[in-house]
Every structure is written in C-alpha cells, then in structure tokens.
C-alpha cells in the first residue's frame, strides 16, 4: 500500500486550512460592490397573500431594492421542481404543486419566502425587511401527515386532493397477503420515524453575481452538487443557459443531504443581482436554517412480519405514510420509495414483500434526503420489527437473525435489489465478540444492584450506496443519470491535478482521491491536487450524496488513471526503447521490468509536453478524462450493538457501550472511514435519543427553531465507540469499495431503541427516547 | 442587531448616571442572555452600560460563614473560588454546571439573577440560602426579589451590586438538565442550618418561576434524610408543561432531585 497509498491512514490534507480558519466558504466570498439580501418570510403556516407594500422599506437607509414574487413570476423564473417522477399504483403521475422561489399568491409553511430586500449591509436589509408590510389572509393549517390525508382537512395544492402526492407500491401484494394468512406467527408493529433538522455546521449561503458585459452569471453556493445545481437552474428555472452560468461550491461545511437541493435563495440571489445590478449575497442564520433547510425522515408505518413454524420469515407487509412538507423538494419523491422500500429485505431472505407508500403535503418545511435517506427508515422499521418478533417468539435476537440471514450471493430480493456480496454472519460475530455479548447477564445483574436498568440491543443493517446505474434509475423515474466523471491532468513537471465531479463537504476527498494517485504512480501525495466544486474548472459531474463518491467518483478517477498510465507507459517505453508491456511504475519511476533502466515520472511528463521525442502519431500532453457509470448499487452492511443503562427514577439513558462492525468493502483510508462511522453514529444516536422537529399542530409554528429546544447530540451523550470492519470487496467496481458515509446513521437508531426497550421491559417506545418517554414507558412496564 | 451605544463606566454612580441619561438603556453584564436577545432583534437597547469594569462589583469575600459575591463575578470565578468552596461548596458546584466554559467565563451571577430565567440555576440557590440581593439603593430578600417569569423586584435603573448570604451547615444542588438547552428542567437546592431550619427551592419546573416547596421543607425539617422525601406529594398543577416535559414528569423530577440533593449535602 505504501505510506500514502490505498489503505494508509494518511492525515487529511484539507484539515490544515479548516483547523487554522483558512477555509473559504461561500460567506467568506467578497466581490466589489457586493450587497446583502435578507428574505421576508411568512410568519403563517398557510395564508393567502393579499398584498405586499414595500414603499416604506424601499425608502429606508441603504436599501437598494425590495423584490417580490410577482416580479419574479413576471421575469419568467420557473417553479422549483422535484427531479424524480413517481407514478401512483393507478398509473397517475405524482401531483407536483407549484413551488415559487418567492411565493406570489399563497404561503404554505412558516418560513416560506415572500420577498427579498437588497441593501448595503445585513443590518439595513433586516431593518427594511421588518418594514415590508405583507397583508395575509390566514388559512387553516395541517401539519400531521395522517390527518392531512383525511377528508375535510386544509388543502395545500389544488393538484393534490386530500394532500396526496402519490400512492405507490412495490412488491407482490397477493403473495405477501397469502403468506401472512398462512403464517405460524405474525408480528405487528407501528413504527414512527421522527422528523429531523439537518443542522450542517455551515448554514446555507449564496452569492449571485450578474455580469451585464457578458450577460453571464456566477453563483457561489453551499452545494453538494454544483453541476446539478447549474443544470437545474438553467433547464428548469430559466435563470440562464448553462454556458452563461458558473456555479461554484467552495469549501462547504457539512451537508448531510440538505445541500443537494436547489433552494429558492440561490435562484433569487442570481435574479436579484441582475435586477439590481449589484452582486447579492445571502447567508442563512440558524433560525432560518431550522425553518427552511429540507428536513429528514417523518414516516408513520404499520408493519406485519410473518414467520413459519421454524421462525423463518415468510413475508413482510409495510404501509407507510411519508410527510413531504409543503412542497416537493428536488429528490423528495425517491427517498420514501426507491431508497426505502427497496431495502426492506434487509439482511434477510424474505420470499414476499409488499410496501405501500403514500406521500403527503402538510404545512411544514419540505422533507428530503438526510444522511441515509430512506435506508435509515427501512432499517429502523425492519430491525425494530425483528427485535419485537424475537421477543414474541422467545428467541435471542441473534438467533432469529441468523435463522434468516441471506447466505449466498448474488441474491435477488423481491424488492428490486440484487445484493452482490456480503457476509452478515461475520459482522454479527465480530460485533457480538467486541460487545462481550455473553457477559451481558452479569453486567445487568451488577447494574441492578446499583438500581440501574441495563439493556442490550442489536441492529443488522444493509444499505444501497454507489448511486447508481443510470439506465436503472432512469427506468425508475430519475430525471438524471448517476454516473460520475474525472479528469486527470499531469503537468509538465509531473505534478498531478484531478478534476472530479464528486464534491467534498467534510468527507476528505482531497486526501482519499489523492491516495489513489499516489498509490498508482508512487508520487508523493503533496504533488497531487484534487479540484472540485466549480463548473468552470470541472467537467460535468453529479456530486456527492448517498455515499457515492467512493464507489462512483473514485471509479471514474481509476478509469482516467488507467488511461494516463497507458499513455505514460507508451512514452516511457519510447524513451527507453523498450516494449510498452515491460514498463512498470514504481516509486515515482517508470522502469523496464527486470533491468536497471528507468525514467523518473517527471521526466516522462516533461517529454509528453516538450513533444520532442514522442512515439509516432502520439498527441502531445498528458491529460485523460473518464465517465464511469456503475453497473450496480453497492451494499455495505454491518451489525451494531448498543448497551445502555437507564435510571428508572428519571428515565435518563446512558449509552455505556456502542459497537459497530461494518463491511464497507475495500478501504482507502481507515482513519477517514472511522471518522465517517463516528459521525454517522453520533447522528443516528441523535435521532434515537435527542432530536425531533416539532410543529404546533394548530398554528404550524415551528417549536424547535433553536438549539434551546432542538436537542443535538454532544460529546458527553456519546460513549467511546468500538468500531471495526470485516470486508467483502465489492465485485462491481474497480476498487472493490462500497461506501461508508451513511452507515452509522442508518444502523444505530434501532440498536439504541432495542437496547432501551430491553432495559425497561417495554417495547412501546418512540424516537427520540427522551427521559420523560423512557420514564413513562419504564413505569408502564412495572 | 439594532444600533446601540456602548458605555464602560468604572463606578456604580457613573453607571447609574449613564443609565438615567439613556433613552432605552440596558445594563450589560456577561451579555450571555442580553447580546443573544439583541442579535435576534428581540431587544433594542439604545444604550448598553457595561457593568464588568466596576471594581466594587467584582470578587468574592468570605468572612467566617458570611459570604458576599459581587454581582459582576463570573460563573467561572464562583465555580473556582477556594474560599467559597470551604464554606458553601454547593454554590460552586451549581456554577460549574451552568452552560459551557465560554458561558461561565462571561456570564455573571448578577446578570443571571436580574434576568430571572425560570430555568436558571442561581435563583434556586438564592431562595434556599435566604440570600440578600444588594443593589445600589437597598437590600432585597430573595423571597421578595423573584416575582415571576423573567420578573424581579428591581426598579428601572437599579443595579444589583452584590449578593450576600450566611453559609448553611449543609447544602446541595441537583439539576436535571433539559436535553436541548441544558438549563434546568428541574433543579433543587436544599439548605439546612444548624438551628434545624430547612429550605428547599425549585427552579425550572414552576409555572411562575422559582419557588420553595413547603411540603419538602417540613418533611426534611423533621427528618433530614433522603427517605423523608418519599412520602411528600408534589402538586403538578402549579408546574410547567412544555415540549420537553409534562408537569407530572417534572413533579417526579422534583422528588428525585430533592432526594439526591439531600443525599449529597
Ligand atoms: C449557551 C448558554 C447556556 C446557558 N446555560 C445556562 C444554565 O445551564 N443555567 C443557567 O442558569 N444559565 C444558563 N445560561 C445563562 C447564563 O447563566 C447567563 O450568564 C445569565 O443568564 C445572564 O448573565 P449575564 O451576566 O450574561 O447577563 P447579561 O446577558 O449581560 O444580562 C442579562 C440581563 O440582566 C441585566 N443585568 C445584568 N447585570 C445586572 C446587574 N448587576 N444589575 C441589574 N441588571 C443586570 C441586563 O440588563 C439584562 O437584562 C446560559 C447561557 C448560554 C448562552
């Protein structure tokens, strides 16, 4: 592997600038003449806009202009769209209600933007925003997705009667029902998956710069996929054609999915820059982020799992209602469908599965992908159900899982996915050993003597990463292909730039992608630069989400490296008058195998550019590009075990041990992988123990609009994690990698809830398991 | 934040004078509450009169068992005062659990008491310790000082200069933090004097702010032991219900925290 190659624990190159405050985020960008935008937002969850009077605001000091939705509509700026078409089971397309970047007639959630003030300073813009008089006619409100489907409830969009967006199904209903009817045992549970706020450390921001000389726009924005942002803004929102729009996502401080989407603010900043003639910058404040960042999860499900007399699962039936909020965000439709129901087989051999999913509009912020996106929902549902079943059947949780594990690969599930590789028993064994599962009884007895209730719980998760074969997702409704691109540019002195369509917003690509190059050519990692996040510098790319940068983004780099290597060998062979097939690359040199002849890497590169002595017909230069379209998803999997102690007097839960045994395929940088697992676990534990978005059901006001009320996990909520990996390489990509970015958030919530319910002897507990809920459930059990 | 004028007086008189000349002035101590409120535009002070640079308002003096803490003393100074720890460690421990290190190095005891957040920690200590709130013009008994949610007996322009109390024989504070804000969801300060007098003050739970629990006090005066708390009933009807906890759960927490405080005292 070498000290900087594949598999090495290379310290993150990007951390120097992040840790010394030298990162360059969108809000750090400053251009001459730049002004500041503040949005006027609806204080109502549902209302008609009767009128907007900005006369007083426009006359205030420093104000350049106040713009509203009517002007935006008049200028032909399009609706925000959802880019994944889902059809209901009756064949009708999903009901996409109009989402205006600035609401011109109706507001549908608290925080919906209605106007924008551009002023010399943020404070002056705020002052003026307070002076914009919006006359609202409030309408009745619905925030609960189950209630929203009922007759007689407030209607959000005329296109969607009963607020139903689609009623979709996957799997064989008849076979599933028949298996349930014939079952020896059926476990039934109701599963709630709580709504979460993404809380990236860096709030969203946008800087729109219109250059009237070239009729050209530049947009700095906090995006996980700047090329997709450019595509959507030009193709659907009519901001500008692609060649007239440059999108730059510089350093981005965390996304977790919430920065995939194109939000109203970046469109409005670009449009406002043209309208006002000045560059316009907007930076979200934290309360605005709570109000307007796309939330995650929010499912209500009922589950039936059928078993035969030997405790083998014969069928799984799931009915889910998913709250998508007031508007359909960019990928909102695929999260509770193809990223969710396709994973309902988990690690188990289940002959029949049927899932029905209804998605619903409510007067709440839009809901879209959040770390894990659909897969945490599937895993939580399945693993809570398995635990419940084990308790009902009187089996140990490990035994029930073992009986049902898939053991041969490839494995075709009844819900589309074809698992290519895995060894679930191996992760289970590793996790149980690391957790000293067998010693639990003694630990529980010891805790009992201290008056504490100790519990243990496990979760065996699988996820689908490496999104995704383009033709496959196209056939399922995706509006884009999910390949990735790379370009490797060897400079004349041998240093190397890699342009990637993947985007790093915390993942460490500047290090791991460079490790691939160092590994291949034996050049120092410091001679390799990873370039990403700028549509002018990087060829078209699809960005980073769904743990796809390793499996797809790196595969594209590998393809480009293959081409560079081939050409480099040709040049070296020519220089040394050797046969191309005898050339090997080692430690920064191109050698003729079995001889002492060699050419240093830089000399070969220089030869490519001087072009004085190249093989006949060869083009000068050394730069190669590649597009990589995966042939399948990848399937990371693992087993997590959580041990807790609950204080029965207060319901306070302490996580005393957390073990994660993952199979991520081959690993490029174990240190970065561990970091990803730690972060994912913190987020999953946050969901299970602490986090939850609450709206007032009558008014639609967001009750958790600051950290005073929205509980984030902190260091002292978490134990020191025990993480390990046991790898079955992915057979479907050149590096054998699977992806590790979301696993922690996917696998941990059910392990934690299974542990708490084990401790208190009451299976009825919802996330987040707040002290009061745990206390009440513990008392109800006694 | 709205425009404001900042002043830095070096004496109490100067501060009072500056305040009387201001249109909508506010005293500024650690700013941990006030600045955040101003940034959210929920407060619009025309003038800020900073109290942190007035020598006579800073520091802790302990004379025998009599304690005086200057109003501009930070939570960190209280937490780490050896003199105070020697006579009343419960107050140091309380201060050590306020917010985080940044907050404790900026926030002051005077600011906390003047603000009287219903979930703040110090008000419980003041009430249980029978403290005197010393101002530039008078002394106010803690029992008369905390008058409601974010309400105190302070007049316009009045400055808390210090708080004073006699250290009790035994005292302890137990706090059950709100999982989000980590302010008290229920915090109980117990104090017992040599003459047998017991005070139990509760913060974070009352629908009208900090209060003394007479039932607990009576039970503990008769039998100073955690067991004495078991049979005391806590009426949930005067307690807060919010997003984080119901009144019934808070009633339970009051009992548990009282028990634990007595055990720790
Ligand atoms: C993240 C965070 C966590 C926190 N956690 C806790 C916690 O767990 N427990 C807790 O109790 N508190 C907590 N606090 C609040 C903290 O203790 C503050 O320090 C306190 O509430 C206000 O004190 P200050 O000195 O910062 O006052 P400031 O914010 O400067 O002032 C608060 C108010 O008091 C007035 N005032 C200040 N000093 C005087 C004076 N001497 N005389 C008259 N009026 C005065 C001001 O005019 C203002 O109205 C937290 C705060 C933060 C930001």
């Amino acid at each position: 592997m070498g000290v900087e190659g594949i598999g090495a624990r290379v310290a993150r190159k990007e951390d120097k600038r992040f840790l010394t405050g030298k990162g360059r985020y969108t809000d750090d960008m400053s251009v001459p003449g730049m002004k500041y935008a503040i949005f006027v937002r609806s204080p109502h969850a549902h209302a008609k806009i009767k009128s907007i009077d900005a006369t007083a605001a426009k006359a205030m000091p420093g104000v350049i202009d106040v713009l509203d939705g009517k002007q935006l509509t008049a200028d032909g700026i399009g609706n925000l769209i959802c880019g994944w078409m889902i059809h209901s089971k009756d064949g009708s397309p999903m009901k996409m209600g109009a989402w205006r970047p600035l609401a011109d007639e109706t507001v549908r959630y608290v925080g919906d933007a209605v106007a924008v003030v551009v002023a010399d300073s943020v404070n002056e813009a705020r002052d003026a925003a307070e002076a914009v008089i919006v006359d609202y006619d409030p309408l009745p409100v619905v925030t609960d997705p189950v209630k929203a489907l009922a007759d007689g409830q407030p209607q959000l969009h005329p296109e969607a009667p009963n607020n139903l967006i689609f009623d979709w199904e996957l799997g064989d209903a008849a076979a599933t029902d028949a298996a349930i009817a014939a079952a020896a045992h059926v476990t039934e549970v109701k599963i709630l998956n709580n709504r979460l706020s993404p809380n990236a450390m860096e709030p969203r921001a946008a800087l729109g710069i219109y250059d009237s000389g070239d009729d050209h726009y530049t947009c700095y924005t906090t995006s996980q996929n700047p090329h997709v942002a450019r595509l959507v803004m030009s193709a659907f929102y009519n901001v500008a054609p692609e060649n007239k729009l440059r999108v730059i996502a510089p350093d981005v401080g965390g996304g977790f999915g919430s920065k995939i989407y194109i939000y109203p603010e970046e469109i409005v900043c670009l449009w406002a820059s043209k309208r006002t003639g000045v560059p316009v910058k907007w930076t979200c404040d934290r309360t605005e982020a709570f109000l307007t960042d796309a939330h995650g999860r929010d499912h209500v499900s009922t589950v039936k799992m059928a078993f035969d007399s030997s405790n083998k699962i014969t069928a799984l039936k799931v009915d889910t209602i998913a709250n998508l909020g007031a508007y359909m965000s960019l990928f909102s439709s695929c999260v509770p469908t193809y990223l969710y129901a396709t994973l309902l087989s988990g690690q188990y051999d289940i002959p029949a599965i049927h899932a029905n999913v209804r998605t619903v509009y409510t007067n709440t912020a839009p809901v879209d992908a959040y770390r894990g996106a659909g897969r945490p929902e599937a895993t939580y549902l399945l693993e809570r159900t398995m635990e419940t079943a084990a308790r009902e059947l009187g089996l140990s949780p490990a035994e029930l899982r073992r009986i049902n594990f898939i053991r041969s690969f490839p494995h075709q599930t009844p819900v589309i996915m074809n698992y290519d590789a895995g060894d679930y028993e191996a992760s289970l064994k590793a996790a149980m050993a690391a957790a000293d599962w067998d010693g639990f009884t003694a630990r529980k007895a010891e805790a009992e003597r201290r008056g504490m209730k100790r519990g243990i719980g496990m979760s065996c998760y699988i996820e689908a990463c490496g999104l995704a074969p383009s033709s496959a997702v196209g056939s399922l409704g995706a509006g884009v292909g999910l390949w990735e691109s790379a370009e490797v540019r060897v400079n004349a002195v041998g240093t190397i730039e890699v342009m990637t369509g993947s985007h790093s917003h915390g993942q460490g690509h500047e290090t791991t992608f460079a490790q691939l190059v160092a590994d291949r050519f034996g050049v120092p990692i410091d001679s390799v630069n990873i370039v990403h996040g700028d549509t002018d510098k990087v060829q078209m790319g699809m960005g980073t989400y769904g743990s796809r940068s390793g499996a797809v983004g790196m595969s594209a780099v590998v393809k480009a490296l293959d081409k560079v290597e081939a050409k480099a060998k040709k040049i070296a062979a020519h220089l040394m008058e050797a046969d191309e097939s005898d050339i090997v690359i080692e430690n920064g040199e191109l050698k003729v195998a079995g001889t002492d002849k060699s050419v240093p890497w830089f000399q070969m590169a220089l030869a490519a550019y001087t072009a004085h002595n190249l093989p006949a017909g060869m083009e000068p230069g050394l730069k190669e590009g590649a597009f990589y379209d995966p042939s399948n998803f990848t399937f990371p999997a693992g087993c997590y075990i959580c041990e807790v102690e609950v204080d029965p007097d207060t319901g306070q839960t302490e996580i005393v041990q957390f073990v994660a045994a993952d199979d991520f395929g081959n690993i490029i940088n174990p240190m970065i992988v561990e970091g990803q697992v730690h972060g994912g676990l913190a987020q999953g534990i946050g969901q299970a123990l602490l986090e939850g978005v609450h709206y007032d059901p009558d008014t639609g006001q967001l009750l958790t609009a600051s950290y005073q009320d929205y509980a984030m996990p902190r260091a002292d909520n978490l134990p020191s994690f025990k993480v390990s990996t046991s790898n079955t390489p992915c057979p479907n990509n050149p590096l054998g990698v699977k992806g590790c970015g979301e696993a922690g958030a996917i696998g941990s919530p059910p392990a934690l809830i299974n542990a708490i319910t084990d401790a208190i002897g009451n299976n009825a507990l919802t996330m987040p398991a707040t002290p009061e809920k745990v206390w009440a459930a513990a008392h109800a059990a006694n | 934040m709205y425009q404001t004028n900042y002043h830095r007086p070096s004496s109490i008189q100067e501060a009072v004078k500056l305040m009387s000349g201001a249109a909508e002035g506010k005293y500024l101590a650690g700013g941990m509450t006030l600045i955040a409120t101003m940034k959210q535009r929920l407060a619009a002070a025309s003038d800020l009169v900073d109290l942190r640079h007035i020598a006579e308002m800073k520091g802790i003096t302990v004379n025998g068992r009599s304690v005086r803490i200057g109003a501009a003393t930070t939570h960190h100074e209280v937490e780490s005062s050896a003199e105070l720890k020697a006579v009343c460690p419960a107050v140091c421990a309380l201060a050590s659990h306020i917010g985080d290190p940044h907050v404790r190095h900026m926030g002051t005891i005077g600011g906390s008491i003047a603000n009287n957040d219903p979930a703040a920690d110090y008000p419980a200590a003041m009430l249980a310790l029978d403290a005197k709130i010393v101002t530039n013009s008078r002394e106010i008994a803690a029992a008369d000082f905390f008058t409601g949610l974010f309400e105190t007996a302070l007049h316009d322009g009045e400055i808390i200069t210090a708080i004073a109390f006699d250290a009790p024989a035994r005292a302890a504070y137990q706090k059950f933090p709100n999982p989000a804000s980590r302010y008290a969801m229920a915090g109980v300060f117990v104090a017992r004097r040599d003459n047998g007098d017991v005070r139990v003050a509760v913060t974070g739970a009352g629908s009208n702010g900090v209060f003394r629990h007479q039932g607990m006090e009576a039970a503990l005066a008769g039998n100073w032991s955690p067991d004495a708390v078991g049979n005391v009933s806590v009426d949930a009807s005067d307690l807060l219900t919010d997003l984080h906890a119901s009144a019934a759960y808070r009633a339970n927490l009051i009992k548990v925290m009282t028990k634990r405080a007595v055990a720790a005292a």
Side-chain angles (χ1 to χ4, degrees):
Chain A
M1 79 175 140
V3 286
E4 296 182 336
I6 292 173
R9 291 179 172 268
V10 180
R12 301 202 331 165
K13 290 177 72 174
E14 47 269 77
D15 281 348
K16 182 181 173 200
R17 74 174 187 276
F18 293 154
L19 295 175
T20 56
K22 297 288 164 64
R24 295 272 288 158
Y25 298 88
T26 297
D27 187 57
D28 295 320
M29 301 301 160
S30 189
V31 292
M34 185 176 81
K35 306 296 178 189
Y36 300 86
I38 290 289
F39 285 82
V40 178
R41 297 187 182 279
S42 172
H44 299 286
H46 201 188
K48 287 264 171 231
I49 301 170
K50 290 206 287 195
S51 64
I52 299 177
D53 180 357
T55 323
K58 281 184 186 168
M60 289 176 68
V63 174
I64 292 161
D65 208 348
V66 180
L67 302 169
D68 66 22
K70 292 239 183 316
Q71 291 162 297
L72 185 101
T73 305
D75 283 356
I77 301 293
N79 290 335
L80 282 85
I81 52 127
C82 175
W84 195 303
M85 172 54 72
I86 298 290
H87 288 87
S88 286
K89 53 194 178 195
D90 68 5
S92 62
M94 63 191 192
K95 310 290 189 292
M96 205 189 325
W99 183 3
R100 299 297 306 152
L102 293 174
D104 53 358
E105 285 175 2
T106 307
V107 290
R108 295 183 177 85
Y109 73 102
V110 173
D112 217 350
V114 295
V116 63
V117 177
V118 179
D120 288 340
S121 70
V122 172
N123 258 328
E124 285 166 319
R126 270 193 215 288
D127 287 341
E130 285 175 2
V132 175
I133 301 161
V134 186
D135 191 5
Y136 293 101
D137 195 358
L139 296 167
V141 168
V142 64
T143 61
D144 179 285
V146 179
K147 199 172 155 197
L149 281 173
D151 288 336
Q153 291 299 315
Q155 299 291 297
L156 270 83
H157 296 278
E159 299 86 351
N162 285 35
N163 300 309
L164 179 68
I165 301 169
F166 57 75
D167 183 355
W168 172 90
E169 66 177 346
L170 184 67
D172 186 336
T176 305
D177 289 341
I180 290 171
H185 178 83
V186 178
T187 291
E188 294 190 39
V189 277
K190 183 173 177 191
I191 299 282
L192 298 179
N193 205 298
N194 44 329
R195 180 186 268 250
L196 303 171
S197 173
N199 286 304
M201 204 184 288
E202 179 208 19
R204 291 190 294 115
L207 166 58
I209 306 163
Y210 175 68
D211 177 346
S212 60
D214 289 333
D215 194 24
H216 181 277
Y217 295 82
T218 303
C219 181
Y220 286 90
T221 180
T222 48
S223 174
Q224 299 179 211
N225 38 208
H227 290 86
V228 176
R230 182 173 72 156
L231 169 68
V232 174
M233 285 199 273
S234 68
F236 297 98
Y237 306 152
N238 308 325
V239 173
E242 273 175 301
N243 64 324
K244 295 285 185 189
L245 174 58
R246 176 183 185 186
V247 177
I248 305 169
D251 284 334
V252 174
F256 313 117
S258 70
K259 292 172 181 167
I260 300 173
Y261 329 116
I262 291 86
Y263 289 87
E265 290 85 1
E266 45 267 33
I267 302 166
V268 171
C269 283
L270 286 167
W271 168 72
S273 176
K274 181 171 187 180
R275 289 283 302 216
T276 58
V278 293
V280 175
K281 181 158 85 179
W282 168 77
T283 303
C284 191
D285 69 29
R286 192 53 72 177
T287 296
E288 239 178 341
F290 275 110
L291 288 170
T292 65
D293 286 0
H295 291 164
R297 322 271 196 263
D298 206 346
H299 284 198
V300 181
S301 301
T302 55
V303 189
K304 283 185 189 169
M305 188 182 267
F307 294 87
D308 67 13
S309 54
S310 54
N311 302 315
K312 281 203 60 100
I313 307 168
T314 55
L316 175 72
K317 192 175 176 69
V318 174
D319 181 78
T320 293
I321 295 173
N323 189 350
L324 293 195
Y327 302 102
M328 292 189 79
S329 174
L330 193 65
F331 288 116
S332 57
S333 58
C334 71
V335 176
T337 51
Y338 291 112
L339 293 180
Y340 164 67
T342 53
L343 273 305
L344 284 172
S345 197
Q347 299 187 352
Y348 313 113
D349 186 358
I350 307 181
I353 298 177
H354 181 255
N356 196 98
V357 178
R358 284 170 288 171
T359 51
V360 187
Y361 287 120
T362 61
N363 295 112
T364 62
V367 178
D368 207 322
Y370 169 70
R371 201 171 192 169
R375 293 151 291 168
E377 294 89 316
T379 302
Y380 184 69
L381 179 144
L382 203 56
E383 291 303 292
R384 286 288 294 129
T385 306
M386 284 300 273
E387 198 74 17
T388 308
R391 287 170 193 171
E392 290 176 0
L393 294 166
L395 294 173
S396 85
E399 193 181 346
L400 184 64
R401 287 173 172 88
R402 280 199 172 109
I403 292 171
N404 288 287
F405 275 156
I406 294 164
R407 291 179 189 272
S408 73
F409 297 88
H411 174 86
Q412 178 62 54
T413 72
V415 279
I416 298 177
M417 291 300 177
N418 189 296
Y419 299 167
D420 53 4
D423 185 347
Y424 308 140
E425 180 78 35
S427 316
L428 180 77
K429 258 198 196 135
M432 288 177 76
D436 182 22
W437 183 277
D438 295 338
F440 173 72
T441 319
R443 295 195 294 277
K444 186 177 175 70
E446 185 278 328
E448 200 85 55
R449 289 194 286 279
R450 286 183 283 113
M452 301 299 271
K453 290 180 181 291
R454 198 158 171 129
I456 195 164
M458 67 164 55
S459 143
C460 296
Y461 78 91
I462 187 162
E463 56 160 330
C465 295
L467 309 178
S470 298
S471 63
V473 293
S475 72
L476 300 177
V480 289
L482 291 172
W483 45 266
E484 196 46 86
S485 75
E487 193 172 280
V488 175
R489 189 160 75 196
V490 181
N491 297 319
V493 291
T495 57
I496 297 170
E497 276 138 4
V498 178
M499 272 57 73
T500 170
S502 296
H503 183 273
S504 184
H505 32 279
Q507 293 86 345
H509 296 172
E510 290 172 36
T511 306
T512 50
F513 282 45
Q515 282 179 258
L516 302 183
V517 181
D519 194 80
R520 180 70 73 103
F521 300 137
V523 295
I525 203 167
D526 281 339
S527 69
V528 183
N529 266 25
I530 306 301
V531 179
H532 64 97
D534 183 340
T535 58
D536 262 15
K537 290 186 185 164
V538 177
Q539 66 293 339
M540 179 68 176
M542 296 310 295
T544 289
Y545 37 83
S547 308
R548 68 190 301 278
S549 301
V552 191
M554 280 187 178
S555 295
V557 175
V558 168
K559 264 186 91 174
L561 289 174
D562 289 345
K563 296 183 190 175
V564 169
E565 180 179 335
K567 185 167 179 184
K569 282 181 171 171
K570 279 199 177 80
I571 296 170
H574 182 75
L575 292 175
M576 294 186 282
E577 293 173 349
D579 193 280
E580 182 189 331
S581 61
D582 290 334
I583 306 291
V584 292
I585 305 182
E586 269 173 26
N587 298 326
E589 287 187 329
L590 299 107
K591 298 179 180 164
V592 182
T595 73
D596 59 0
K597 281 206 264 182
S598 69
V599 178
W601 175 262
F602 78 86
Q603 202 173 315
M604 177 281 305
L606 195 59
Y609 285 92
T610 57
H612 297 161
N613 181 20
L614 289 177
M618 179 182 274
E619 288 178 9
L622 190 50
K623 180 187 99 161
E624 300 288 346
F627 283 69
Y628 173 82
D629 198 1
S631 59
N632 192 358
F633 292 86
T634 66
F635 297 97
C639 178
Y640 289 1
I641 295 176
C642 178
E643 198 164 322
V644 298
E645 277 190 13
V646 172
D647 178 345
D649 292 339
T650 61
Q652 181 76 36
T653 298
E654 190 199 344
I655 303 172
V656 289
Q657 173 167 274
F658 204 106
V659 169
D662 292 291
D663 178 355
F664 294 137
N666 292 332
I667 286 175
I668 310 298
N669 183 327
M671 184 195 69
I672 288 183
V673 168
E674 283 161 19
Q676 289 287 316
V677 175
H678 284 206
L681 291 176
Q683 260 170 315
I685 290 169
Q687 160 159 37
L689 211 53
L690 296 156
E691 300 183 45
V693 171
H694 289 275
Y695 283 95
D696 182 290
D698 299 320
T699 63
Q701 293 298 324
L702 181 62
L703 301 176
T704 45
S706 83
Y707 292 125
Q708 294 277 59
D709 291 307
Y710 189 89
M712 288 289 281
R714 302 183 206 186
D716 64 358
N717 294 120
L718 306 169
S720 200
F721 302 124
K722 290 188 191 166
V723 304
S724 68
T725 51
S726 53
N727 301 323
T728 60
C730 175
N732 289 315
N733 60 55
L735 292 165
V737 299
K738 296 184 179 177
C740 65
E742 296 158 296
I746 292 169
S748 53
L752 180 49
I753 300 298
N754 288 343
I756 300 175
T757 53
D758 178 56
I760 62 177
N762 184 347
N763 199 42
L765 185 68
T766 58
M767 299 190 291
T770 60
E772 174 164 19
K773 281 197 217 165
V774 174
W775 173 76
H779 281 256
N782 287 336
Chain B
M1 198 188 284
Y2 298 108
Q3 284 279 357
T4 188
N5 299 301
Y6 174 82
H7 309 275
R8 181 182 281 190
S10 49
S11 72
I12 293 171
Q13 291 85 327
E14 192 189 347
V16 172
K17 191 157 168 253
L18 282 164
M19 184 57 75
S20 64
E24 287 281 337
K26 276 266 184 201
Y27 291 120
L28 174 69
M32 290 294 92
T33 298
L34 181 55
I35 298 290
T37 318
M38 290 174 68
K39 281 187 171 173
Q40 288 176 300
R41 299 187 153 225
L42 299 171
S46 64
D47 296 78
L48 289 178
V49 179
D50 192 344
L51 302 177
R52 284 175 309 166
H53 304 273
I54 299 173
E56 54 196 304
M57 283 179 61
K58 293 178 75 76
I60 299 170
T61 38
V62 178
N63 242 325
R65 297 198 68 79
S66 119
V67 176
R68 183 186 169 95
I69 306 176
T73 307
T74 64
H75 308 329
H76 172 73
E77 287 159 350
V78 171
E79 161 189 4
S80 52
S81 161
E83 298 96 309
L84 183 57
K85 207 163 279 171
V87 296
C88 195
V91 173
C92 305
L94 174 149
S96 77
H97 287 104
I98 296 175
D100 50 47
H102 305 72
V103 170
R104 294 196 290 276
H105 278 83
M106 291 298 288
T108 66
I109 188 167
S112 176
I113 289 165
N115 194 48
N116 192 20
D117 187 307
D121 298 306
Y122 272 129
M126 296 300 104
L127 214 50
L129 293 168
D130 200 12
K132 288 188 180 64
I133 315 299
V134 184
T135 78
N136 58 321
S137 56
R138 57 184 170 144
E139 287 186 0
I140 310 169
D144 302 323
F145 183 82
F146 301 107
T147 55
L149 307 178
F150 299 100
E151 299 285 341
T152 69
L154 286 175
H155 299 314
D156 277 355
E158 193 171 4
I159 300 180
I160 304 174
T161 55
I163 64 102
F165 62 90
D166 288 330
R170 283 157 175 272
Y173 178 64
Q174 288 286 312
K175 163 183 184 173
F176 191 86
N178 174 314
S181 72
R182 304 238 172 144
Y183 276 71
M185 203 138 85
V188 177
F189 200 105
V190 300
R192 183 173 190 269
R193 301 205 173 261
D194 280 333
N195 64 9
D197 183 44
V198 170
R199 296 220 172 175
V200 177
V202 180
T203 189
S207 49
N208 200 33
V210 65
F211 67 94
R212 281 170 58 188
H213 198 283
Q214 262 78 27
M216 293 286 186
E217 291 183 355
L220 288 166
N223 172 20
W224 177 256
S225 99
D227 299 336
V229 173
N231 294 323
V232 180
S233 78
V234 177
D235 184 358
S237 60
D238 293 337
L239 301 182
L240 272 175
T241 287
D242 59 21
L243 194 61
H244 303 282
S246 68
Y249 179 61
R250 281 193 163 92
N252 170 66
L253 286 180
I254 291 170
K255 277 181 93 156
V256 177
M257 292 302 118
T258 307
K259 225 187 247 181
R260 290 180 183 177
V262 173

